[in-house]
Amino acid sequence: MQKPSDSANGQSTPNELAQWPKINSAIETDTEIERQVAAMVAKMTLAQKVGQMLQAEVKSITPEQVKQFHIGSVLNGGGSIAGSKDGFATVDEWLAMADGYYQASMDDTDGGIAIPIIWGTDSMHGASNIIGATIFPHNIGLGAANNPELIKKIGEVTAKESLVSGVDWLFAPTVAVVRDDRWGRTYEAFSEHPDIVARYAPAMVEGLQGKAGSKALFTADKVLANVKHFIGDGGTTNGDDQGDTQISEKELREVHGAGYFTALDAGAQVVMASFNSWNGEKVHGHQYLLTQVLKQQMGFDGFIVSDWNGHGQVKGCSNDRCAQAINAGIDMVMVPTDWQALFYNLIDDVEKGNIAMSRIDDAVTRILRVKMRMGIFQAGLPSKRPFAGKTEHLYSAEHKAVARQAVRESLVLLKNNEQTLPILPSQKVLLVGQAADDIGQASGGWTVTWQGVTQANQHFPSGTSIKQAIEQQVKSAGGQFEYSLDGQFNQKPDIAIVVFGEKPYAEMHGDLTTLEYQAGFHSDLKLIKQLKSQGIKVVSVFLSGRPLWVNAEINVSDAFVAAWLPGSEGTGVADVLLATPSGKVQYDFVGKLSFSWPNEPTQATINWQDKPYQPAFAYGYGLNYQDGGFVGQLSDVTAEDTHSEKIDLFVGRPLAPWQIEIKNTQGEAQSIRSLLPQKINDIYSISTDHLIQGDSRHIGWIEGGAKVGLFSKSALDLSAYQQKGVLQVFINLPVKLTANLTLSMEQASGQVASIDLTDALSSMSAKTWYQLNIGMKCFAKQGADFSHISAPFVLSSNAKAEVKLSNIRLFQMKPDLNPAKSINVCL
């Protein structure tokens, strides 16, 4: 057993171990279940036991393989969706897959034991994988609502709607306590304060599983919960997803442990291990934390599941072999694609004595104990369970009401000078911004797809955009409503509502280096100023997955609302912003900041107990209609006319205001809004991996003439990058280049400046990543007007070709180069 080390180094001593609390789970030990589990384990072969310890991704395993290898669980994750030609599954397709896996797991004709499989999925804010499901605000918004009873209701709705598709295990709740808002998963957390997390965690567990110790536990309308990610995921240095949490054990326990203590007391049966390290050691291989702390000291008797190939990050491990993670305490391994190799290697490790048989038996006992407790042995075929296929439960009137309430209570009013809000709906109301009519952007990541990049509102058939909600209420009150993407209007309005904010992202794809919103561009700020210059009052509705530095935008707004990521029920926004036709308040603001709001773009780690503590808006701040609401001028020293030394154009996803498009030879364009394969006649795009999952695009030209690029709806001023600027892209040729590749910069006027990359790329080895650096003076010589660039990166081919692209950035000055694997043009 690992010996605890000195706590002065942020590690552990025996005294520190004793400080971790004992769990008093509301689910008590059942002697009959223990007897049945022990009898089953005694009959199982090593291969059958190892199979139960594996969780494979649905795209990488068939029902026949589930039967052959006695697999314990499957999941859909990382953008994987069941069936369907367009990549978005129907309920019937989900159920057909669930039935196939279940029947295979119950087939004991080979002499094995029939053990039902369980299907896990990420459910960050509702049953968000299912088309037509109710999408709730992300956790960051719910934290502002400060209403545990509402959280319980959301859990109940999520459980019912998930069961419609046959999924019975949800990877929720997330109980991270975020310390650095640059983290790409900030919106998955309820708060920077452990108290809110500690109150919310048991409410969500009870909503999903039912109340432990009562007849409501694991009834037909309940699912298996999964508290995650143990432990310290919200505390990594610089907010680096999957990075290192460098803190003392006391802080790890008292800040990051809070949600686990209450969730496990409430009966949570599964804990997911975290990708992060604690003081340099990966949690997936941390026997002290997983076994000594969680299982032995705290007394957790459920099972620990790893995260997506998290075991492969442990020192000395790979995705297909890791005795260290099993010995550390991982009971079920989430191994999406390499499950078969891991199956054989685990058996080999046991036979060689690298893993004790007692550790295998303990893991399988825990898994079967949980399956018994959740009643899966009696549940029957997924399609025959009470809620299966009952689509009337998706976005029912009752569920819609819960979502609408959640949106209303999550909104935080930061500014309301001169009582600009609420808006009298009988006025002339101008609504501005693409985000206002994009339910996908309002919902954020983990919505229909992993990155939340959906194809507009068609994937939310029962949802209501902010535009639809405001338009309906204004017109019903006899007011005049106009919608504009760019702030232009036919009739001058009495007031304008501008909806803007972050584009969807998930996990590491959302990591930031600065909290400054639209650094280097500030196009939304210009839009607000454009309206203000015409004497129009402006209400700003800001969609974001974290507090961001928007001081300049707040300064020029008459009212400013932090709407977070409200989900599919935009009516909740309209309910609070708009008054009744007679001018009375419909619903007041009740949301209070569960995260401190930065006063500088560098205040990424500002938290409620910090000294000094100088946020723009403190933890717990939030105005209502009874307050004066006046906010003075905030510091906005790096406003719109300054330029960042570096602009990220595409880092795993296109950064606003850019969007990636493929265009065929006929000029038809298709925005790449999903990690799913996309094709338009003679060009296609497929998501692939470079440094992290899904951070690269594989582009293929079936014949010449088509192009792929980063485009903006309006031209932007990139003059600061003209003289010494460098465009950098990581590039990989899957096959040797035989065509001519041309890189262009395009202007809104249609003018194009191009350079031929063929000679520069001819020396590239196939299947190898290179850093391509291009001096902007190349394009300047071709006549590019850098003050009106609408597409800074457009790649075309004159013949059949393939290329992978990742991490496209624009630098003011020549960046650090990798001399071994770099190709330089015009430098």
Side-chain angles (χ1 to χ4, degrees), residues 611-657:
K611 294 180 180 179
Y613 180 64
Q614 297 175 323
F617 302 100
Y619 171 88
Y621 174 91
L623 302 171
N624 59 38
Y625 287 140
Q626 283 69 54
D627 295 322
F630 179 80
V631 173
Q633 195 78 358
L634 302 173
S635 170
D636 58 1
V637 290
T638 54
E640 63 174 309
D641 294 326
T642 64
H643 291 270
S644 171
E645 294 181 1
K646 180 194 71 173
I647 298 175
D648 291 331
L649 305 177
F650 177 90
V651 185
R653 61 190 174 97
L655 279 296

Side-chain angles (χ1 to χ4, degrees), residues 436-468:
D437 198 30
D438 190 334
I439 300 176
Q441 182 171 348
S443 299
W446 300 105
T447 309
V448 181
T449 66
W450 173 37
Q451 292 294 313
V453 202
T454 60
Q455 296 184 5
N457 295 344
Q458 70 188 68
H459 292 129
F460 307 92
S462 303
T464 306
S465 72
I466 295 171
K467 170 188 175 290
Q468 291 168 328

Side-chain angles (χ1 to χ4, degrees), residues 86 453 455 650 652-654 659-664 669-689 694-702 706-710 734 793 795 801-806 808:
D86 66 355
V453 202
Q455 296 184 5
F650 177 90
R653 61 190 174 97
Q659 59 183 17
I660 187 168
E661 293 182 357
I662 51 176
K663 294 186 177 182
N664 64 15
Q670 186 177 115
S671 295
I672 299 178
R673 303 192 64 185
S674 169
L675 296 183
L676 298 170
Q678 292 180 255
K679 179 177 179 293
I680 180 167
N681 294 345
D682 38 19
I683 188 170
Y684 61 86
S685 167
I686 303 171
S687 173
T688 186
D689 302 345
D695 68 341
S696 170
R697 293 294 184 273
H698 183 153
I699 308 298
W701 287 266
I702 299 170
K707 57 186 178 181
V708 61
L710 291 162
F793 182 93
L795 195 62
E802 293 180 62
V803 63
K804 294 180 181 180
L805 305 170
S806 174
I808 305 173

Side-chain angles (χ1 to χ4, degrees), residues 175-195:
V175 296
V177 179
V178 178
R179 316 307 290 155
D180 191 316
D181 298 343
R182 290 171 293 185
W183 188 36
R185 306 188 77 156
T186 296
Y187 63 79
E188 295 182 36
F190 296 119
S191 179
E192 69 186 34
H193 200 306
D195 286 358

Side-chain angles (χ1 to χ4, degrees), residues 100-120:
Y101 290 128
Y102 176 85
Q103 288 171 323
S105 69
M106 298 301 286
D107 189 335
D108 58 2
T109 56
D110 63 353
I113 298 176
I115 301 175
I117 201 166
I118 50 178
W119 184 327

Side-chain angles (χ1 to χ4, degrees), residues 285-462:
H286 211 297
Q287 197 226 29
Y288 174 73
L289 289 176
L290 298 182
T291 296
Q292 295 184 54
V293 169
L294 182 57
K295 292 181 176 179
Q296 295 174 354
Q297 171 64 19
M298 292 172 61
F300 174 60
D301 68 353
F303 71 84
I304 300 174
V305 63
S306 68
D307 208 338
W308 185 281
N309 282 332
H311 63 287
Q313 298 183 14
V314 176
K315 186 177 181 180
C317 289
S318 61
N319 291 345
D320 61 10
R321 187 161 211 148
C322 190
Q324 296 94 313
I326 303 301
N327 289 332
I330 297 294
D331 301 305
M332 181 180 285
V333 187
M334 187 190 294
V335 53
T337 58
D338 298 306
W339 59 269
Q340 193 166 338
L342 183 62
F343 174 87
Y344 289 116
N345 286 332
L346 282 176
I347 291 174
D348 184 58
D349 277 329
V350 174
E351 291 175 342
K352 289 179 177 177
N354 298 326
I355 302 173
M357 193 65 198
S358 59
R359 172 76 271 269
I360 298 295
D361 286 346
D362 174 58
V364 177
T365 295
R366 290 170 175 272
I367 293 166
L368 296 184
R369 176 186 294 135
V370 171
K371 287 186 175 184
M372 285 276 190
R373 286 174 173 174
M374 68 181 290
I376 198 69
F377 280 86
Q378 295 79 39
L381 200 65
S383 64
K384 302 300 182 185
R385 296 172 191 172
F387 286 84
K390 302 292 179 60
T391 55
E392 62 269 24
H393 292 291
L394 299 179
Y395 227 114
S396 67
E398 177 188 356
H399 296 177
K400 178 185 179 76
V402 176
R404 191 169 177 173
Q405 176 190 353
V407 175
R408 289 195 300 260
E409 295 187 13
S410 70
L411 303 177
V412 179
L413 181 59
L414 298 184
K415 177 181 181 180
N416 192 24
N417 286 11
E418 299 180 1
Q419 299 292 297
T420 302
L421 291 173
I423 297 167
L424 190 65
S426 57
Q427 298 181 96
K428 297 171 188 165
V429 178
L430 174 68
L431 182 64
V432 180
Q434 180 181 349
D437 198 30
D438 190 334
I439 300 176
Q441 182 171 348
S443 299
W446 300 105
T447 309
V448 181
T449 66
W450 173 37
Q451 292 294 313
V453 202
T454 60
Q455 296 184 5
N457 295 344
Q458 70 188 68
H459 292 129
F460 307 92
S462 303

Side-chain angles (χ1 to χ4, degrees), residues 126-127 134 136 152-162 207-208 222 393 395-396 398-400 402-403:
T134 309
F136 293 97
K152 179 184 174 183
K153 289 180 182 178
I154 290 172
E156 291 170 345
V157 172
T158 302
K160 289 178 182 177
E161 295 197 5
S162 297
L208 294 173
K222 301 301 179 185
H393 292 291
Y395 227 114
S396 67
E398 177 188 356
H399 296 177
K400 178 185 179 76
V402 176

